Amino acid sequence: LFTATLVAAKANLNYPNVKRENLSENKFGIVQHDPYRWMESHDSSALNQWIKKQNTLTDSWLEGDLKAEYMREFEEILTPKSFLPRVIQKDRLELDFRRRLRPGDDPFKENLTSPNNRYEIKLLSDSGSDFKRLEIHDVEQERRLNDVLLVKFASIVWDESGESFIYASDRDGRLGGGYPVVRRHKLGTTQAEDSELFESPSHDSFLTIGSVEGRLLLIVSHFDETKFAELNSLTGDVRYIGSFRGATSTAGYESPLLYVTTYDGANMGRIATLNIDSGQTQTVIPEQPIALDHAVVMNGDVYATYIKDTSSRLLKFPRGKLMPQVIELPDLGTAALDIDEGQLAVSFQSYSQQSS
């Protein structure tokens, strides 16, 4: 009944017109039309006007007679005990790319706090855009610096001084490019003054930076290949390390081995290592009969979650062992893994009860 009423109400709505541009690109012999590319420009006045009209239309509908019925319909979905996991605040890990990570730490794990704990980066999104406003806050003086950067799909590494950081991001859409770049930003300067260290060779790729033992590492993901490289932050020189086919994610690091989960040659996923010195790869946990989801490394042991019948299974592979130990989860649901202060942290979302 509610759905039928909703459809009837929708039929009476006068949606604002949206501009269509005659834009197409030829990629690998296939012509792709993209008439709404202009909507990716976050500062477009035409886009802002269209959004305002959409918001006005939505507000007018929500203020009508259907508002109470609409909210009752979705009240159960919005109830945290039913679907939403409990959020636990944790102290952020320091990431100084001159220091040695703890064994098992993922060098590509997000870090937004400077090594001296004075500054913290905040990434703010407006209206769900992929572009984010990067702000820098002085924790000691409780104020925001004048530095404001525009970034997209950003990853960040602070330097040891805490007075500058290196970040990877897609180019600002206003510059007309989508080529991911690596730049250095010095506190107290504008984004226009940032020095560019590296540009990805393809606008279709995703770029991530991380650090380990004073070395700046790059991940360049392009279609079905993930490449790993080392970037000299002073000269901009790049040294290729190795690559994997298919979806690949980092799982941890134990010098000089970077652990990854990959679907290279394994439809259900496998866990491998990449030697960042020699570039040699090796499978440490072969493909299992159930789908690999995520993995972390702690004290040489590999902990991995797999999916079976839409529910997580948690397995522990002791160092050098292929026979796993099953760690029982409290219920049917999904589990996520992390290493926190040298301990395994498991967050679990139950399908039938409140998560923890």
Side-chain angles (χ1 to χ4, degrees):
L1 176 62
F2 175 73
T3 302
T5 307
L6 189 61
V7 171
K10 180 179 178 181
N12 296 325
L13 295 178
N14 184 20
Y15 289 91
N17 293 326
V18 58
K19 179 177 64 174
R20 290 174 58 91
E21 293 184 339
N22 184 21
L23 177 64
S24 61
E25 293 179 332
N26 190 316
K27 294 185 177 181
F28 307 103
I30 300 175
V31 177
Q32 298 179 340
H33 301 281
D34 193 358
Y36 303 112
R37 176 78 62 84
W38 65 273
M39 300 184 80
E40 298 180 7
S41 299
H42 74 285
D43 57 350
S44 166
S45 59
L47 177 61
N48 289 331
Q49 289 298 321
W50 181 81
I51 291 175
K52 288 180 180 179
K53 292 179 181 179
Q54 287 278 22
N55 289 339
T56 299
L57 178 67
T58 303
D59 291 341
S60 67
W61 182 81
L62 285 176
E63 290 304 321
D65 295 336
L66 287 176
K67 180 176 181 179
E69 187 173 356
Y70 174 86
M71 294 308 296
R72 283 195 303 270
E73 180 79 9
F74 287 93
E75 183 177 1
E76 184 66 25
I77 296 178
L78 298 175
T79 303
K81 67 179 182 180
S82 299
F83 289 93
L84 302 182
R86 184 182 302 160
V87 178
I88 302 175
Q89 297 292 336
K90 298 189 303 182
D91 293 335
R92 299 187 185 277
L93 291 177
E94 297 179 23
L95 181 57
D96 172 2
F97 72 85
R98 290 291 178 183
R99 75 178 178 88
R100 184 180 296 273
L101 299 180
R102 295 188 183 92
D105 282 353
D106 187 347
F108 291 91
K109 188 174 182 178
E110 182 183 57
N111 170 72
L112 299 178
T113 304
S114 63
N116 55 15
N117 292 319
R118 176 171 179 176
Y119 300 106
E120 184 176 60
I121 290 174
K122 294 185 178 181
L123 297 170
L124 307 176
S125 176
D126 295 324
S127 304
S129 171
D130 289 332
F131 286 96
K132 296 183 184 295
R133 188 172 70 256
L134 187 156
E135 296 181 353
I136 306 165
H137 292 253
D138 188 325
V139 178
E140 291 183 0
Q141 299 185 12
E142 299 183 348
R143 67 181 182 92
R144 179 174 66 84
L145 304 187
N146 292 328
D147 310 43
V148 177
L149 285 67
L150 185 67
V151 297
K152 182 179 181 182
F153 306 132
S155 55
I156 299 162
V157 172
W158 284 91
D159 70 14
E160 60 178 337
S161 68
E163 298 298 326
S164 66
F165 58 84
I166 295 173
Y167 66 98
S169 168
D170 274 16
R171 285 191 184 278
D172 185 336
R174 291 175 296 184
L175 300 180
Y179 289 83
V181 294
V182 177
R183 293 177 174 143
R184 180 193 297 275
H185 178 79
K186 184 178 180 181
L187 300 190
T189 65
T190 66
Q191 187 172 15
E193 299 174 84
D194 292 351
S195 56
E196 191 163 300
L197 303 177
F198 173 79
E199 179 183 73
S200 175
S202 171
H203 73 280
D204 292 320
S205 60
F206 288 93
L207 187 61
T208 308
I209 58 172
S211 64
V212 60
E213 300 176 345
R215 303 161 72 173
L216 196 63
L217 303 181
L218 295 176
I219 300 179
V220 183
S221 302
H222 183 243
F223 290 108
D224 66 340
E225 185 176 22
T226 302
K227 296 181 179 180
F228 293 82
E230 181 177 356
L231 173 65
N232 187 313
S233 60
L234 298 178
T235 65
D237 293 335
V238 176
R239 180 182 69 88
Y240 171 77
I241 299 175
S243 64
F244 294 89
R245 307 291 295 185
T248 301
S249 302
T250 55
Y253 178 79
E254 289 194 338
S255 181
L257 301 178
L258 182 66
Y259 284 75
V260 301
T261 61
T262 181
Y263 291 87
D264 187 347
N267 291 332
M268 304 295 277
R270 63 185 174 96
I271 301 173
T273 57
L274 171 65
N275 188 311
I276 66 171
D277 292 330
S278 67
Q280 181 180 4
T281 64
Q282 181 178 357
T283 297
V284 290
I285 307 296
E287 182 178 15
Q288 303 293 310
I290 52 180
L292 175 63
D293 181 34
H294 180 58
V296 296
V297 182
M298 185 176 69
N299 299 326
D301 300 330
V302 176
Y303 296 83
T305 54
Y306 291 82
I307 301 296
K308 182 180 180 182
D309 300 330
T310 72
S311 185
S312 292
R313 302 293 191 271
L314 177 55
L315 303 181
K316 174 186 177 181
F317 295 87
R319 182 192 294 269
K321 305 292 185 181
L322 297 180
M323 182 63 66
Q325 301 172 3
V326 177
I327 301 178
E328 294 294 337
L329 294 173
D331 195 4
L332 293 178
T334 57
L337 308 179
D338 194 7
I339 301 297
D340 187 12
E341 297 297 330
Q343 294 185 337
L344 177 67
V346 181
S347 59
F348 182 74
Q349 183 175 357
S350 170
Y351 291 154
S352 62
Q353 55 187 326
Q354 185 171 357
S355 304
S356 60

